[in-house]
Amino acid sequence: MSKKIAGLIIIIALSLAGWYYFKYNTFKEEKPKPVVEKQIPEPVKQKEEAKPEPKQVLKPVIPIKKNYDLYSQTPYDLPLISIMEISELPENIKSTVDELLEKAQGFYLLKMKDGKIFIILQNPVNSENTYSRHDLEFAEINPDGTLHCYFAGYSGEDGETALAVTDSIDKDDWKFDKSAEPYKPLKHIKRDENGKAMFTEVWNYSSDADIKYEMKNSKGKTVSVLRETLESDTNYLKEHVFYDENGNTKMSVSINYDGANITRFTYYTPQEGISVMSEYTDGVKTKESVYNSNYELVNILKAVYENGERKAITLLDKNEAVLKEIAN
């Protein structure tokens, strides 16, 4: 009996031991495993490619052309742009230009036009015996050297100064200021063979009158007019304007003076135009600005002097890049 009891006790003990083992090993909560964040590798920075340094654009060196006539000794106020044009001319053409320069005592402008040398003279070179009107004469020199001169507007008939004092040439009517000799014309009516008025010219010599000369056609419309305006004690404006039959300007030439210096010159037609603005230092021209008919800057010219003598002229574009330079 005691053996059975002992055996039962052993069985119960083993059962309890098994139950405790199962409880604490099978059903106990497992602790959550720590979550290990994946380390995302940083992107590999690519090396920035070195940008090439901008290449320095070297401006072309414009050679100075020497041994040129810069007209430093001439007493006439010549445009620098025209002197630059003359530097390109062959010697025989230049000789013709120099002869015209002396006869006309200067010119307002010399430029290439339609393959010819076109010159606006300051004074007429023809010796016709006519009364003064516009006194604006043009000259053209062809490539072969031949010269053609012609006036702007009506310039009168050869010999009229000798015959008009009779107050009538054929059927023409003339009126004169006879207060002093030589007589000055005041009015001229040009008539055709039937006595009908073709045009009328009027002169005015008063210092208070801006219009010094005017021509009108048979219908009373202005054909041409010469204005001279004293803007101040030293500033003086001279304008030659020519009109077509509809009253539109077909050509004009205007000159601004400051004393003896020409500060602005303008030549205009419906097809072309040029304005030259000049600057002076101590009485000598040091700079010119050249504009087209739309008043857009085209070129700049600068002159260098030594002891009052012009030594070099530089031609620049509107951005002041050097195009050409000539020296004596």
Side-chain angles (χ1 to χ4, degrees):
M1 183 69 180
S2 59
K3 286 182 180 180
K4 287 182 181 181
I5 294 171
L8 182 59
I9 293 172
I10 291 171
I11 291 170
I12 293 171
L14 289 173
S15 298
L16 289 171
W19 180 80
Y20 277 105
Y21 177 82
F22 181 81
K23 178 181 179 181
Y24 288 101
N25 289 283
T26 302
F27 291 99
K28 71 178 180 180
E29 295 181 0
E30 293 183 357
K31 293 182 180 180
K33 294 181 180 180
V35 177
V36 179
E37 295 183 358
K38 291 183 179 180
Q39 297 293 326
I40 301 174
E42 293 184 1
V44 179
K45 292 183 179 180
Q46 295 181 352
K47 293 184 178 180
E48 294 184 1
E49 295 182 1
K51 294 181 179 179
E53 294 184 0
K55 293 182 179 180
Q56 293 184 350
V57 179
L58 298 178
K59 295 182 179 180
V61 178
I62 307 297
I64 300 175
K65 298 182 178 182
K66 296 185 176 182
N67 302 319
Y68 281 84
D69 185 358
L70 304 185
Y71 293 88
S72 182
Q73 303 303 319
T74 181
Y76 314 119
D77 186 11
L78 302 184
L80 299 178
I81 186 65
S82 295
I83 297 175
M84 190 65 73
E85 291 271 19
I86 295 172
S87 70
E88 299 289 344
L89 300 178
E91 191 59 35
N92 65 319
I93 303 296
K94 182 182 180 302
S95 297
T96 303
V97 169
D98 290 343
E99 290 177 8
L100 282 172
L101 173 63
E102 292 302 321
K103 289 181 178 180
Q105 298 180 346
F107 48 73
Y108 295 122
L109 182 71
L110 178 149
K111 67 188 290 287
M112 291 296 299
K113 180 181 178 182
D114 301 328
K116 303 175 183 179
I117 304 299
F118 174 70
I119 308 173
I120 303 178
L121 304 170
Q122 288 197 15
N123 296 290
V125 297
N126 292 330
S127 58
E128 295 178 347
N129 297 313
T130 58
Y131 287 110
S132 173
R133 277 119 174 145
H134 287 277
D135 287 344
L136 187 64
E137 191 170 13
F138 298 153
E140 289 182 355
I141 307 176
N142 296 309
D144 62 1
T146 55
L147 172 65
H148 173 56
C149 296
Y150 55 96
F151 282 95
Y154 181 68
S155 59
E157 296 180 5
D158 189 18
E160 68 184 11
T161 55
L163 299 175
V165 292
T166 63
D167 294 348
S168 178
I169 303 177
D170 294 331
K171 293 182 174 61
D172 286 5
D173 293 335
W174 288 86
K175 290 185 179 180
F176 290 90
D177 176 2
K178 297 183 179 181
S179 60
E181 293 187 359
Y183 297 161
K184 295 178 181 179
L186 297 175
K187 187 175 182 179
H188 170 219
I189 302 175
K190 178 69 176 178
R191 301 183 184 278
D192 61 18
E193 58 185 10
N194 297 318
K196 183 179 180 181
M198 299 170 62
F199 59 81
T200 302
E201 301 177 278
V202 176
W203 289 259
N204 195 325
Y205 305 98
S206 171
S207 59
D208 297 330
D210 288 343
I211 297 179
K212 301 301 183 183
Y213 169 80
E214 185 174 17
M215 174 188 273
K216 293 185 177 182
N217 63 16
S218 59
K219 297 179 180 179
K221 292 185 177 181
T222 300
V223 175
S224 71
V225 63
L226 168 62
R227 294 188 184 92
E228 295 182 357
T229 307
L230 188 63
E231 298 179 331
S232 69
D233 292 340
T234 58
N235 293 329
Y236 167 72
L237 172 63
K238 189 173 186 178
E239 298 174 281
H240 305 266
V241 188
F242 304 85
Y243 302 92
D244 62 17
E245 58 185 7
N246 297 316
N248 300 314
T249 301
K250 64 179 182 180
M251 185 180 69
S252 67
V253 176
S254 63
I255 311 101
N256 287 79
Y257 292 89
D258 183 4
N261 296 330
I262 297 175
T263 55
R264 176 175 178 171
F265 171 83
T266 299
Y267 167 70
Y268 166 81
T269 70
Q271 294 77 34
E272 62 176 333
I274 181 173
S275 293
V276 181
M277 308 284 288
S278 301
E279 298 178 20
Y280 296 80
T281 303
D282 298 329
V284 295
K285 186 181 297 187
T286 53
K287 183 180 178 181
E288 279 183 359
S289 299
V290 182
Y291 298 84
N292 61 19
S293 59
N294 295 320
Y295 205 69
E296 298 168 334
L297 181 63
V298 179
N299 290 112
I300 298 170
L301 294 102
K302 296 181 179 180
V304 176
Y305 296 80
E306 290 182 9
N307 299 321
E309 181 180 357
R310 190 181 294 131
K311 303 298 293 184
I313 300 175
T314 304
L315 174 68
L316 308 101
D317 65 14
K318 64 180 181 179
N319 298 314
E320 299 204 28
V322 176
L323 300 176
K324 181 182 177 182
E325 188 170 10
I326 59 176
N328 62 8

